[in-house]
Amino acid sequence: MTATSSGTDQLLRPHAEQAYATELARLATVDDRPRPTNWKLSPWAVVTYLVGGTLPDGFEVSTKYVGNRRLIEVAVATLATDRALLLLGVPGTAKSWVSEHLAAAISGDSTLLVQGTAGTPEEAVRYGWNYARLLAEGPSTAALVASPIMTAMAEGRIARLEELTRIPSDVQDALITVLSEKTLPIPELNTEVQAERGFNLIATANDRDRGVNELSSALRRRFNTVVLPLPDSYEDEVRIVAGRVADLGRSLELPPADRAADEIRRVVTIFRELRSGVTTDGRTSLKSPSGTLSTAEAISVITNGIALATHFGDGTLRAADVAAGIVGSVVKDPVADQVVWKEYLEAVVRQRPDWKDFYRASREVSG
Ligand SMILES: Nc1ncnc2c1ncn2[C@@H]1O[C@H](COP(=O)(O)OP(=O)(O)OP(=O)(O)O)[C@@H](O)[C@H]1O
Ligand SMILES: [Mg+2]
């Protein structure tokens, strides 16, 4: 279906279960702990896949989620119960990333996905019809178009629902029966789909733009919520950015840029200082800009910088390649954020002797 003649290396973005097929297979061979019905791995192995570790045979499992192991344990334990999992957090805290890897590790399939938007119809949560067949034959199983959630129920797999709070409330409510009765009635055929063991749902929601469509309390009660925080420490955040930049660089066919590590440290420093409203040395307090300055944005600032350095520079990532990206992330509101950025530039950046290159480059882009 998705595989090409040359396998997955031609794909711009392979699914987690494709990209990490070797790790998943190695984990499955050493995993001798009990697996819930229809789970490909035991809960212990799923957590190891997410947080990384060394297997008894010496094989290294890479770290997908950098952060508190306990959060991942709670998430995995939840999925082994009859309650669904809600991953909540500010933008760019790896909610979608964790959801994809959990589904890949538990069901071997992260593709049973519903993307929540203001226009998500009920069919995306329940089922729709192939209208040509429906008109020709009337309602029949063959004319039914199952939603990813219906498929997950029938096959005992994990379904994913992105951006739950963007979905209109009446459509959200269609989930209540699914989650509490574990069944999806199909009145047109006078039948129902009952969930197999192994079925569960991982939803993600952003607590920044929560206001869109609040979760009803009836629905909220059916979820265990795990809040994914911004990275605790500077070192963790540098590690996340460096790791993802290396992965993305490979799939975008960008060569590893020289000196990327220095620019990564600088971007993370700037983002953390502006987010927390104080410089690293604790001496200068700062105003915070309106944007989130998420880890995800730091990753894209560096990746864009590497593309600039590769295609228009000499392959060395320099301040000038990241300056425009940083200013773009910080200045979301052209008036208020511009003031915040100018102050930071003069009061902090200018005072750091080894940041002269960056000060000059930023002055050029912010005018
Ligand atoms: N703690 C973390 N560990 C590993 N990767 C992280 C972490 N935090 C952020 N990332 C990286 O940040 C990127 C963005 O994550 P993701 O898209 O999952 O964010 P999100 O929480 O779903 O954001 P949004 O609310 O905008 O949808 C991913 O590439 C992910 O690897
Ligand atoms: Mg997301």
Side-chain angles (χ1 to χ4, degrees):
M1 212 165 39
T2 47
T4 59
S5 52
S6 48
T8 60
D9 13 312
Q10 293 279 318
L11 298 174
L12 183 54
R13 188 188 182 288
H15 299 303
E17 60 274 23
Q18 298 172 318
Y20 296 93
T22 317
E23 290 192 7
L24 290 167
R26 292 295 286 261
L27 271 162
T29 31
V30 300
D31 182 19
D32 51 7
R33 308 192 188 204
R35 303 177 190 182
T37 309
N38 283 326
W39 282 38
K40 301 272 188 221
L41 295 173
S42 69
W44 167 82
V46 174
V47 172
T48 307
Y49 171 75
L50 261 293
V51 301
T54 309
L55 301 184
D57 61 2
F59 183 83
E60 283 289 330
V61 178
S62 67
T63 300
K64 280 73 177 189
Y65 179 72
V66 179
N68 187 346
R69 179 191 181 97
R70 192 67 188 161
L71 289 179
I72 302 297
E73 288 176 352
V74 171
V76 172
T78 296
L79 290 170
T81 69
D82 63 342
R83 286 167 70 83
L85 173 66
L86 175 62
L87 298 173
L88 200 67
V90 297
T93 42
K95 300 179 294 295
S96 305
W97 176 250
V98 167
S99 151
E100 177 181 356
H101 284 291
L102 286 174
I106 294 172
S107 303
D109 180 1
S110 63
T111 64
L112 295 170
L113 169 72
V114 177
Q115 179 64 50
T117 68
T120 301
E122 212 173 289
E123 289 83 58
V125 172
R126 289 151 50 92
Y127 53 87
W129 298 98
N130 172 336
Y131 286 104
R133 283 197 107 135
L134 184 65
L135 289 176
E137 303 163 13
S140 66
T141 315
L144 191 93
V145 180
S147 71
I149 294 179
M150 183 181 253
T151 306
M153 292 174 78
E155 296 177 358
R157 294 175 194 241
I158 301 287
R160 299 170 52 205
L161 208 170
E162 285 285 314
E163 310 286 358
L164 176 60
T165 46
R166 299 227 167 116
I167 300 181
S169 314
D170 54 322
V171 180
Q172 283 183 19
D173 284 347
L175 282 173
I176 294 179
T177 336
V178 169
L179 295 183
S180 50
E181 310 297 325
K182 313 292 180 202
T183 175
L184 227 174
I186 311 172
E188 295 89 339
L189 300 179
N190 195 20
T191 172
E192 62 178 356
V193 171
Q194 281 182 288
E196 293 262 325
R197 287 199 187 150
F199 166 72
N200 211 330
L201 181 76
I202 308 174
T204 66
N206 196 313
D207 60 7
R208 250 298 154 113
D209 35 40
R210 159 167 37 193
V212 198
N213 287 300
E214 265 308 343
L215 280 191
S216 71
S217 52
L219 189 53
R220 189 174 278 271
R221 276 200 305 277
R222 270 128 190 128
F223 283 102
N224 270 355
T225 304
V226 170
V227 178
L228 297 184
L230 283 163
D232 261 353
S233 67
Y234 166 79
E235 285 75 25
D236 276 358
E237 194 156 0
V238 168
R239 202 170 136 213
I240 296 168
V241 176
R244 288 298 292 149
V245 164
D247 283 354
L248 286 169
R250 266 192 298 279
S251 69
L252 300 175
E253 300 178 306
L254 292 170
D258 303 331
R259 284 197 58 242
D262 293 346
E263 293 304 332
I264 291 175
R265 281 195 286 272
R266 177 145 59 196
V267 171
V268 171
T269 305
I270 295 172
F271 276 29
R272 292 184 74 86
E273 289 186 327
L274 285 170
R275 231 190 259 148
S276 62
V278 59
T279 50
T280 314
D281 58 13
R283 294 228 191 101
T284 316
S285 57
L286 307 162
K287 294 201 193 81
S288 290
S290 58
T292 13
L293 296 177
S294 65
T295 314
E297 277 175 289
I299 294 168
S300 68
V301 166
I302 296 290
T303 310
N304 283 327
I306 295 179
L308 279 172
T310 305
H311 299 300
F312 302 108
D314 61 3
T316 300
L317 185 65
R318 293 179 208 283
D321 301 314
V322 292
I326 293 181
V327 175
S329 308
V330 176
V331 183
K332 295 282 197 247
D333 172 329
V335 183
D337 292 339
Q338 186 73 32
V339 174
V340 173
W341 178 244
K342 278 266 155 68
E343 274 185 29
Y344 181 74
L345 213 50
E346 298 304 323
V348 180
V349 176
R350 194 175 188 175
Q351 313 306 323
R352 293 187 173 149
D354 48 342
W355 280 27
K356 290 218 162 14
D357 51 342
F358 180 69
Y359 178 72
R360 241 177 289 120
S362 308
R363 283 289 301 261
E364 263 166 44
V365 285
S366 29

